[in-house]
Amino acid sequence: MWTVNNARELYGIDNWGNGFFAANEKGNVVIQPTRNTTQQVDIVELIDEIENAQDLEFPVVLRFPQILEGRIDEIAGAFSNAIKELNYTATYRPVFPMKVNQRKEVFEYILKYGAKHNLGVEVGTKGELLAALALGAPKDSLIVCNGYKDEDYLKLALSVHSVYNIILVVDLYEEIYDILKYADEMGVVPRIGMRLKLFSRGSGHWVESGGDASKFGLSTSEALEIMKILKERNISKSLQLMHFHIGSQITDIRMVKSAMNEIARIYAQIRKTANVLYLNVGGGLSVDYNGSQTSMASSANYTLQEYANDVVYAIQKVCDEENVPCPTIISESGRAITAYHSMIIYKMIGKKDVKDNWFKEPLADDPIQIKDFYEDLQQVNADNYQEKYHSALQYRDELYDAFVVGNIGLEERAKGELLFRMLCRKALTFANAVGDDSEEVHEMKKTLSQKYIANFSLFQSFPDMWALDQIFPTVPLHRWNEEPTEYGTIVDITCDSDGEVKHYAGDSDGREFLALHSYKDGEDYYVGTFLLGAYQDTLGDFHNLLGSAHEVHVMVDQNDWWVCQKVEGDTCRKLLDFFNYETKDYTWDVMDRCVENNQCVNKKEHERIEAQLNKTLKGYTYFIEKVNKPTNGNGNGAVIPPTP
Ligand code: PLP
């Protein structure tokens, strides 16, 4: 009998959930923001609360600030353990790279929770620097200024140099001249860092961020030249930080080790002539999105503690060998801090379904292939299902050829398609019973796989799935105590065939289909996509003018959970304004045009158009549901989508 445990295994939640996500015995997904199993949010209760409040429609992004807090504590804790364990003689400071999530609310949480660890900020543009200053990063925590810097960026950073602990990291050799020029003009002795190109490379998708040919960082000769310039000016002390970053999501720990050995050696050599305080090992700490614990692109073959141990150990060892003081270690782990804290909930609004049951039996004048095909269908059994599938492929091809040359009509073509699906469906029941996982079975599943239409935009909410094929775990949020008997893929409401979830967590390559439940009459079916907190929020785009989703932020304590903040998503008006449509006079302009084009628009019609324009402008950009819920229709999976 099917139990919640079967579903846990099927959806792999214990692997990718990292203790933050689980399923309870009611068959509902639960969130444990503090990883404490007695402090859970039952997602169905939360969905009910959102529905009952009637102020926000779905899709809704959930954020769990305490997950951010927990991740910052865990990362700082892992370094602190390693430092203690290895008797490392200096300290560790976390720095949050703003590019990973610039949303104000998220950044505020991170600054608040990071304060106890003296968390600093890394910015890569003047816009990010302005945002960091807007939220008042703590005075003595670091603001690491990376990226290519123009006059405004440099002057802004230098102007607040005495108010904040700003470090200007030279990424492009020529920048040193500008830094020194503006610093002189402003009477400031700058704090300088150098980003170095390493020979070592990362692994996974961002491998090109490291290595000799990387677009980032200084070569060894450029670094030496900068040190010479500083020495000549008698400000060698200005050089405070050395930095490298060989790419995000480094999936293989061997790459971390080799990069650490290389940078530690460079640090030690430089430290003999310059009083560098900080060694900034960049980001790259991976997140195991598919839960496979491998070096595949969406995974990681190491733990956080292993990472921290390797970083600390390599630096310690080389510093001992070279007899130089150990630096304060900085890491800029963004993905690892933010990925788990957010997810999106969306509802299914329909299903693209071929209705096999429309075919009853062949007619007397049907072509012979249809009759033979039908007979084969009757005969499929446990011993011959593969053979019958092969014959079905042939019938299908023959009927297709016959149609193309005009020997059969559309009716016959449709019958052939339906028979093919019916045969696959029957063969699959026998294949599943014996656990057949062959290529043929895979193809049958593909044929029968259905498209579940869900109310969200993949391009807005998890664009890296489209751009990089990254896996974000996507699962139904309830009914885990019922066996999911259907399978298919989830497609979004954009008019784009790339708007489809093509890989699902569960094994290392990502499964191609998701097991889903059949709709129940009048009941909503909710699905969620998890681990969206890193990069997705601001990389998301406005494809089809679908905007940011509403947000609900949730906290827990030992007694209860509660919504601590709601953030409204974009309205249609906001998006039109963003793309320069200037909606201030929009309604009047459209109305004027209506009247001009059709002199006889009467008062009633006028009012109706105006009211609808205003209502739509003010409304959510996503599909707004009406009373009709998805239903089973004829009992065979056909769904009547809600009336738009
Ligand atoms: N630091 C720098 C300089 C980066 O470019 C990045 C992102 O690529 C990061 C830190 C964050 O990396 P991650 O999110 O892998 O921790």
Side-chain angles (χ1 to χ4, degrees):
M1 204 188 77
W2 183 267
T3 67
V4 176
N5 271 341
N6 296 110
R8 287 184 184 118
E9 203 176 311
L10 173 72
Y11 297 127
I13 197 164
D14 295 335
N15 302 329
W16 55 258
N18 199 6
F20 295 120
F21 307 103
N24 64 16
E25 288 312 304
K26 290 186 210 162
N28 302 336
V29 166
V30 292
I31 299 102
Q32 301 164 168
T34 59
R35 280 226 186 82
N36 184 335
T37 51
T38 63
Q39 299 183 6
Q40 294 182 332
V41 184
D42 180 323
I43 199 110
V44 171
E45 287 175 24
L46 177 54
I47 287 170
D48 284 347
E49 176 153 331
I50 296 170
E51 293 276 18
N52 292 337
Q54 294 191 342
D55 51 359
L56 301 179
E57 302 97 343
F58 284 88
V60 167
V61 167
L62 299 181
R63 293 194 197 277
F64 298 93
Q66 286 160 311
I67 294 187
L68 293 169
E69 181 174 20
R71 293 299 288 163
I72 296 170
D73 287 347
E74 279 164 19
I75 293 170
F79 274 96
S80 155
N81 291 340
I83 283 172
K84 221 179 285 158
E85 188 76 14
L86 298 164
N87 291 321
Y88 187 76
T89 50
T91 55
Y92 165 77
R93 290 172 78 160
V95 159
F96 177 67
M98 221 176 156
K99 63 170 73 72
V100 181
N101 199 319
Q102 297 95 337
R103 297 277 308 196
K104 177 169 167 274
E105 302 79 19
V106 175
F107 190 47
E108 270 172 340
Y109 291 132
I110 289 173
L111 284 182
K112 178 172 151 207
Y113 297 131
K116 59 179 178 258
H117 302 290
N118 215 348
L119 174 135
V121 185
E122 183 256 6
V123 298
T125 60
K126 55 194 166 192
E128 288 183 352
L129 177 57
L130 286 168
L133 297 178
L135 293 192
K139 184 175 169 6
D140 51 351
S141 66
L142 294 167
I143 298 185
V144 178
C145 296
N146 263 331
Y148 304 124
K149 300 166 207 68
D150 65 5
E151 182 177 340
D152 277 343
Y153 187 171
L154 286 174
K155 284 190 168 169
L156 176 65
L158 289 166
S159 68
V160 289
H161 189 263
S162 57
V163 187
Y164 293 102
N165 197 354
I166 298 258
I167 298 197
L168 286 163
V169 177
V170 184
D171 194 329
L172 188 68
Y173 172 73
E174 287 72 20
E175 260 169 28
I176 190 66
Y177 297 111
D178 286 341
I179 293 173
L180 296 177
K181 181 173 125 204
Y182 300 131
D184 277 353
E185 280 171 22
M186 295 163 83
V188 170
V189 180
R191 287 177 287 268
I192 291 175
M194 293 195 294
R195 177 167 178 171
L196 293 154
K197 241 188 234 246
L198 294 195
F199 182 71
S200 312
R201 291 153 72 99
S203 58
H205 180 80
W206 288 275
V207 66
E208 297 301 330
S209 304
D212 266 353
S214 153
K215 104 181 201 204
F216 306 106
L218 304 167
S219 64
T220 317
S221 55
E222 287 171 332
L224 292 175
E225 193 57 31
I226 287 174
M227 289 172 64
K228 211 164 106 200
I229 294 171
L230 296 180
K231 194 161 174 224
E232 277 164 13
R233 293 180 164 232
N234 214 10
I235 51 167
S236 291
K237 261 201 344 260
S238 278
L239 182 62
Q240 297 205 348
L241 176 143
M242 283 175 49
H243 169 47
F244 79 97
H245 172 76
I246 55 168
S248 192
Q249 186 74 0
I250 302 171
T251 56
D252 189 342
I253 191 68
R254 285 173 307 170
M255 307 304 162
V256 175
K257 285 178 198 276
S258 79
M260 286 317 308
N261 286 330
E262 186 181 348
I263 192 72
R265 195 64 69 181
I266 300 174
Y267 161 80
Q269 304 266 328
I270 289 181
R271 182 63 183 80
K272 289 178 181 167
T273 54
N275 192 20
V276 177
L277 304 175
Y278 305 106
L279 180 50
N280 177 351
V281 301
L285 176 55
S286 212
V287 167
D288 193 358
Y289 289 93
N290 67 10
S292 67
Q293 297 176 8
T294 63
S295 60
M296 311 283 296
S298 291
S299 189
N301 68 2
Y302 56 94
T303 62
L304 165 59
Q305 190 60 60
E306 191 180 349
Y307 172 83
N309 292 347
D310 285 350
V311 170
V312 175
Y313 176 79
I315 301 174
Q316 167 96 316
K317 182 167 166 287
V318 174
C319 289
D320 283 355
E321 283 170 13
E322 301 265 358
N323 206 15
V324 294
C326 289
T328 296
I329 299 172
I330 290 172
S331 78
E332 297 178 349
S333 297
R335 188 183 294 276
I337 290 179
T338 55
Y340 290 96
H341 94 279
S342 84
M343 58 174 286
I344 185 164
I345 303 180
Y346 41 85
K347 286 193 213 182
M348 296 297 185
I349 56 169
K351 186 163 66 164
K352 293 235 157 122
D353 201 6
V354 179
K355 291 146 193 82
D356 319 339
N357 66 337
W358 282 355
F359 186 84
K360 296 295 176 236
E361 56 186 358
L363 302 174
D365 57 354
D366 271 337
I368 185 73
Q369 293 97 326
I370 300 254
K371 289 178 184 155
D372 290 349
F373 207 160
Y374 182 72
E375 211 174 302
D376 266 24
L377 173 66
Q378 310 308 311
Q379 291 165 3
V380 177
N381 62 36
D383 297 324
N384 68 8
Y385 69 85
Q386 272 186 337
E387 185 191 324
K388 293 293 176 197
Y389 173 67
H390 293 148
S391 316
L393 288 172
Q394 195 172 340
Y395 291 134
R396 187 187 62 172
D397 291 352
E398 282 176 16
L399 285 164
Y400 172 75
D401 291 342
F403 174 75
V404 172
V405 295
N407 289 344
I408 63 167
L410 266 181
E411 285 277 339
E412 289 75 28
R413 175 188 163 127
K415 284 179 187 171
E417 284 172 4
L418 293 174
L419 277 165
F420 185 70
R421 288 179 59 85
M422 288 161 84
L423 194 139
C424 288
R425 196 178 291 282
K426 195 165 173 188
L428 207 50
T429 52
F430 292 110
N432 283 342
V434 292
D436 183 347
D437 198 20
S438 61
E439 206 163 304
E440 277 100 340
V441 170
H442 190 75
E443 286 304 313
M444 289 181 219
K445 286 184 176 167
K446 213 165 174 177
T447 302
L448 294 177
S449 150
Q450 306 179 57
K451 303 264 185 239
Y452 287 77
I453 304 156
N455 187 15
F456 75 103
S457 158
L458 188 146
F459 303 90
Q460 166 64 223
S461 294
F462 33 103
D464 276 347
M465 184 176 277
W466 160 63
L468 310 172
D469 247 352
Q470 189 179 317
I471 293 176
F472 293 98
T474 297
V475 294
L477 296 174
H478 51 141
R479 298 175 62 188
W480 286 32
N481 46 5
E482 295 170 36
E483 182 167 3
T485 51
E486 303 191 18
Y487 41 90
T489 56
I490 294 178
V491 296
D492 70 9
I493 58 167
T494 64
C495 311
D496 193 315
S497 56
D498 279 338
E500 177 170 5
V501 181
K502 292 183 180 145
H503 298 286
Y504 298 87
D507 60 27
S508 52
D509 293 333
R511 298 194 166 124
E512 278 189 60
F513 311 107
L514 182 64
L516 289 155
H517 305 88
S518 54
Y519 288 136
K520 286 187 180 163
D521 276 348
E523 225 181 65
D524 284 319
Y525 191 47
Y526 298 89
V527 171
T529 298
F530 295 72
L531 275 59
L532 302 182
Y535 299 99
Q536 308 314 296
D537 278 301
T538 46
L539 277 182
D541 62 40
F542 302 105
H543 199 9
N544 275 139
L545 294 190
L546 292 164
S548 290
H550 296 313
E551 292 190 9
V552 169
H553 302 193
V554 181
M555 310 264 278
V556 290
D557 66 13
Q558 56 280 13
N559 302 317
D560 210 350
W561 59 262
W562 68 96
V563 172
C564 61
Q565 184 163 196
K566 287 183 179 178
V567 182
E568 269 190 59
D570 292 337
T571 57
C572 293
R573 178 189 291 280
K574 187 166 171 195
L575 280 200
L576 289 189
D577 281 334
F578 188 73
F579 289 103
N580 301 338
Y581 284 85
E582 291 178 17
T583 57
K584 195 163 56 69
D585 297 322
Y586 179 89
T587 311
W588 292 116
D589 292 347
V590 175
M591 296 307 303
D592 282 353
R593 225 169 296 127
C594 287
V595 176
E596 263 169 41
N597 292 348
N598 185 351
Q599 297 302 327
C600 55
V601 172
N602 61 37
K603 186 165 176 284
K604 204 160 157 229
E605 200 180 351
H606 197 280
E607 282 168 3
R608 200 179 59 211
I609 298 172
E610 189 180 345
Q612 190 58 51
L613 280 172
N614 280 326
K615 181 166 182 282
T616 313
L617 273 178
K618 275 194 259 164
Y620 203 19
T621 58
Y622 290 90
F623 189 99
I624 298 188
E625 251 196 311
K626 285 280 183 298
V627 278
N628 300 1
K629 307 275 184 188
T631 94
N632 253 341
N634 60 7
N636 189 39
V639 168
I640 303 162
T643 324

